[in-house]
Amino acid sequence: MSRTLFCPASHLWARLRRAPAGGAGLVAARSAWRVEVGLTAHALEDIGDVIAVGHGPTAPGNRVEAGAALLTLDWEAHRVSTADELYHTQWALVEGAHPLHSPFGGTLLGLCSDDDARRLGPETVLATLHVDRPGLAASQLVGEAQYLAAVRGAPPGRFGRESTLHEQHSIGGHLAD
């Protein structure tokens, strides 16, 4: 069974699944979660076509702190730069980078590949972490209803249309668990 939470500030989702409890010797076992992290539909409206993934300074298997850079998605897109009444349109290339920061401290288990990121969608897992209960409790994650309320009044992203912003922000076009 999994549970999905959202981070309104960075427009990411975190899918939580129970993991074996950690702790050894004199240290008491703690509840732990395997957490997959990806971007919501709202975040994807600000990203063009991903052309490269830059992994952060932390390698899988190592501890990351809340707010640590996990990866950067380098992207490019085309945007109308000028147009006239005769429908003559000129296009401009727009480039950018979208950083993904860890919403909580934990152990980094894995990062997406360039191929996965190039097929970026609302269900693409960008990073997987192992997080214990205190790390999860310290995060700014909210349920889907709270997230949708937070983005309801937000303008569409750079490449979004007014209608897509409110069509569906949950994962895969259906309500998250």
Side-chain angles (χ1 to χ4, degrees):
M1 175 159 174
S2 66
R3 178 176 176 203
T4 303
L5 297 173
F6 299 85
C7 182
S10 57
H11 300 289
L12 61 80
W13 54 261
R15 185 179 304 126
L16 290 66
R17 289 188 173 91
R18 282 269 185 216
L26 299 176
V27 178
R30 295 198 256 190
S31 296
W33 300 88
R34 179 182 176 93
V35 182
E36 297 174 331
V37 178
L39 297 175
T40 66
H42 185 81
L44 294 173
E45 289 179 351
D46 276 333
I47 298 174
D49 296 327
V50 174
I51 55 173
V53 176
H55 291 174
T58 305
N62 292 313
R63 177 139 180 90
V64 295
E65 298 302 322
L70 296 175
L71 57 81
T72 300
L73 300 171
D74 294 323
W75 57 266
E76 63 183 20
H78 288 90
R79 176 177 214 125
V80 174
S81 60
T82 61
D84 62 24
E85 65 279 352
L86 296 175
Y87 302 103
H88 297 115
T89 304
Q90 292 184 349
W91 296 87
L93 180 64
V94 181
E95 299 175 311
H98 185 88
L100 178 71
H101 298 277
S102 181
F104 30 65
T107 302
L108 181 62
L109 299 177
L111 295 168
C112 72
S113 67
D114 278 350
D115 288 338
D116 290 338
R118 285 190 182 106
R119 293 185 296 271
L120 188 62
E123 290 199 43
T124 304
V125 175
L126 297 175
T128 305
L129 297 106
H130 184 268
V131 181
D132 64 14
R133 185 179 298 270
L136 190 60
S139 72
Q140 301 293 319
L141 300 178
V142 299
E144 184 176 33
Q146 287 177 283
Y147 176 71
L148 290 174
V151 298
R152 190 159 285 120
R158 176 178 316 170
F159 304 109
R161 298 173 311 174
E162 196 67 40
S163 61
T164 62
L165 181 60
H166 303 293
E167 285 172 1
Q168 188 56 258
H169 286 281
S170 59
I171 300 170
H174 54 78
L175 294 179
D177 299 341

